[in-house]
Amino acid sequence: KKNVLLILAIVSMIMAGCTEEIDTSARYVFKEETITSYLSKHGQYSEYFRLLGETPVSSISNTTVSQLLSARGHYTIFAPTNDAIQAFLDSLCHTGLIPEPSWDAFPSEHKRDSIAQIIVFNSIIDSGDDYSEYQISNLPVATSTSNSVEIPLANMNDRKLVVQYTDLPDSILVGDCVIDQNNRDILCINGVIHSMHGVIAPSNDTMDLLLRKYIEDSTSGFVVSAKIVQSCGLFKSLSANRDEEYESRFQADKVTKSSNSVGDGGNETFYTPEHRYFGFTFFAETDAFWSAAIGKSPADITMEDVMNYLDSQGIYPEAKRDANYQSEDNLLYQFITYHLLPERLSADKLVYHYNEKGYDINRKVPSVAIMEFYTTMGKRRLLKLFESRESEGVYINRFPVLDNGRQGTYHELSCPAEREGIAIGEPNLEGDNNIRNGIIYPIEKLLWYSDVTRDNLQKQRIRWSVPSMWPEFMNNDIRCSEITDVKHKNVYIPTDDDYKYLDDVDISKDTQFFYWTGRGNGWANMQGDEMSIRGLLECTMRLPPVPRRGTYELRFAIQSGGYRRGMVQFYWGSNKEKLAAMGIPMDLRQTAENTLHTSGGDVPSDIGYERDTNDDDFNAEVDKRLRNNGFMKGCNQYCAGAPGGSTMMRASNVCIRRIIIRETMDPDITYYIKFKTVMDDPTRFFYMDYLEYCAKEVYDNPETPEDIW
């Protein structure tokens, strides 16, 4: 907020000393004007208009961006004024890229054209035929605990722009630049123009380059954390941005670009992702923390100092205390890799909100407790992200006391200090900090996989939406995408014979791997999305780690309302090539009350299901009966349908959980599940919603039975 206010103050001074007349007529609708014709008639955009006419839409096209913006469409233009472009050239001169702030000062035509493309491509969002342009009124709204939110549609530079809301009335920043308060929402035939007091130019740097800059800049605030990453040899990993092999194969039509569903009456087309990006999230202790902990200035703190401090705190006692920091057995390496996730999570996606109980997608105020579980880099360990109305922000590894009784609210009642967790601060997304492949979040407490964290993870049910297991779903805007055109809503993941898109999933050549984002469909699924895997399918997935060695149930949740569901055999184990079959095949057509459309019609279920009554003792007995048959009612945390619904999954006879294994599991062993169809019918499909780990200490606790949430 301090940086935002500083920017606004600078802008105010610039405007005060500026003789350029402000076009106060800009709020009117120019019904006969295209974007280019409007810009050509208003002198304050003459430099921007010139660049539009000189910049081609791609390296293989002679069409200019100006020609593009003269045609029909729905374009959002964040148009920098002449003063904004001049200030940008001044900044390039200040950094030494050019000797003077002029277009004639560039050392080569190629360099000048690339800078022009940066200005142009970052200023334009093409909404296509399915979306309207972004007026101020329909820019995405930030959550109640964050000032920033990303625009779902990427710009022409394939970057998502960040909208920042300030404490000053009517002041909005996009891409770190202020939108003019008078010249905004300029409606044209083919889109909308917002006048900008700066050039939107997010950095093309990757995480490793940003951390190198932090090491060189003693005022960056992350000098020590950056030096730890460097010492552990992680810069190469953090430089990954895009899978160039996939890129070239996709462009050369060597990857199947779409697939059609059959047998469900819809015959929908599902589209393969155009890119395979990599991304990272870094929760980093600030220099202020390290200076207070070690008693030195950040520039003077050595890795030996950090090691001595970590050792004094009793962190990872089994880890080696030598100077071989790049070894996975080393204390420093194990420490810093627990801070890193192999997916880029924006502030509004740290915890996914959609159809949990009491949540209003318009107000975006947290309601019941919501948590996500991710697997960290390095040694695979669980990291929990948590948010509730009472937490007032997202926390790492928070374990509050919840009102989780049968008649409870699932809100926080209290949170002991030792289980409070670590508050995640606002990321700095200004200037060079807004990098392509990651986000750094400041934290002010020491983060590590402590015994307290592991014990509390084992003492709770661990529930995760299936797509959260795959970094590719986050890094490529697949999981729960808010973009609802068909290419984003219906996603096809190619088989391994075509290209291995998901590192943690093996997909056979006879499998059609479909994913629906589910936005606007009102499906009775956790977070609204749905996995639909079809064909003569065989699919193997790597599971997240458990927190401690013990006996766990692995549960599979399904919305079983479709008679086209199939029947699969589950396999589980640690040897991916020799997984053992677990129990008898599972019929996914089975609801709590019926098995749908078998050869004899609907067959009544005999699993012991009865709907909840006002008698909690009776309801508990029904729960025991279901568990004895390997079933559970759905959770009470999510609606059985669209956001704002009054019927929870627990009350739905089609939202049920299956206990598929009950086995001893070890945190240092990697486990896999495989599912394989047992029906000779490629139109049947396998469905997945969410999975759960539940330790014996929870599901078989005689004093505190597992809650219904």
Side-chain angles (χ1 to χ4, degrees), residues 555-612:
R555 301 164 180 169
F556 168 89
I558 179 174
Q559 188 263 89
S560 55
Y563 73 91
R564 298 305 307 175
R565 307 263 197 263
M567 187 181 296
V568 295
Q569 177 65 58
F570 268 98
Y571 301 79
W572 172 87
S574 58
N575 184 343
K576 188 169 65 170
E577 307 305 323
K578 296 180 180 180
L579 300 177
M582 308 305 292
I584 62 174
M586 179 189 297
D587 193 337
L588 302 177
R589 297 167 296 175
Q590 183 173 23
T591 72
E593 296 177 330
N594 296 286
T595 300
L596 303 175
H597 289 211
T598 66
S599 57
D602 290 354
V603 178
S605 171
D606 60 356
I607 63 174
Y609 175 84
E610 293 188 58
R611 296 178 184 271
D612 278 354

Side-chain angles (χ1 to χ4, degrees), residues 101-173:
S102 165
W103 287 106
D104 297 328
F106 283 90
S108 68
E109 183 178 345
H110 172 74
K111 192 67 177 178
R112 183 190 64 201
D113 290 346
S114 66
I115 294 298
Q117 185 184 74
I118 287 173
I119 295 174
V120 170
F121 278 21
N122 282 304
S123 68
I124 301 170
I125 295 176
D126 180 0
S127 296
D129 295 329
D130 298 288
Y131 283 90
S132 297
E133 57 277 354
Y134 285 102
Q135 298 180 43
I136 296 298
S137 61
N138 62 353
L139 285 173
V141 179
T143 67
S144 61
T145 56
S146 175
N147 295 322
S148 63
V149 61
E150 288 186 337
I151 297 176
L153 287 169
N155 61 20
M156 286 186 66
N157 197 32
D158 206 20
R159 297 291 296 274
K160 288 192 171 187
L161 299 180
V162 177
V163 181
Q164 294 173 277
Y165 294 92
T166 76
D167 293 332
L168 299 180
D170 208 29
S171 293
I172 302 173
L173 286 78

Side-chain angles (χ1 to χ4, degrees), residues 335-402:
F335 170 75
I336 200 62
T337 51
Y338 190 65
H339 294 62
L340 290 161
L341 299 178
E343 48 256 310
R344 180 188 179 278
L345 301 177
S346 60
D348 54 315
K349 296 290 177 59
L350 288 169
V351 174
Y352 279 70
H353 294 285
Y354 186 63
N355 64 335
E356 64 264 32
K357 184 174 184 179
Y359 185 69
D360 185 332
I361 60 173
N362 296 313
R363 295 180 61 235
K364 294 191 175 182
V365 176
S367 55
V368 299
I370 291 294
M371 54 222 74
E372 300 278 351
F373 297 92
Y374 291 109
T375 302
T376 61
M377 293 176 63
K379 185 177 180 179
R380 301 178 76 241
R381 294 161 290 183
L382 282 181
L383 185 140
K384 174 185 178 183
L385 300 181
F386 175 96
E387 186 175 27
S388 69
R389 182 173 297 175
E390 294 74 26
S391 69
E392 297 183 346
V394 182
Y395 277 72
I396 302 172
N397 295 338
R398 182 180 180 89
F399 301 95
V401 177
L402 297 175

Side-chain angles (χ1 to χ4, degrees), residues 244-273:
E244 295 301 336
E245 180 183 352
Y246 180 80
E247 196 78 12
S248 61
R249 288 175 64 86
F250 189 92
Q251 295 299 328
D253 293 328
K254 294 181 180 180
V255 174
T256 302
K257 292 189 174 180
S258 66
S259 182
N260 284 81
S261 64
V262 294
D264 61 358
N267 195 30
E268 294 181 271
T269 301
F270 288 73
Y271 294 89
T272 307

Side-chain angles (χ1 to χ4, degrees), residues 536-562:
L536 300 177
L537 61 96
E538 182 174 343
C539 204
T540 304
M541 301 177 180
R542 182 167 69 161
L543 290 168
V546 295
R548 285 200 178 278
R549 181 176 176 82
T551 300
Y552 293 84
E553 288 182 348
L554 176 60
R555 301 164 180 169
F556 168 89
I558 179 174
Q559 188 263 89
S560 55

Side-chain angles (χ1 to χ4, degrees), residues 272-288:
T272 307
E274 295 184 13
H275 308 285
R276 188 169 182 264
Y277 287 118
F278 305 104
F280 306 93
T281 301
F282 184 15
F283 302 108
E285 287 90 356
T286 63
D287 284 341

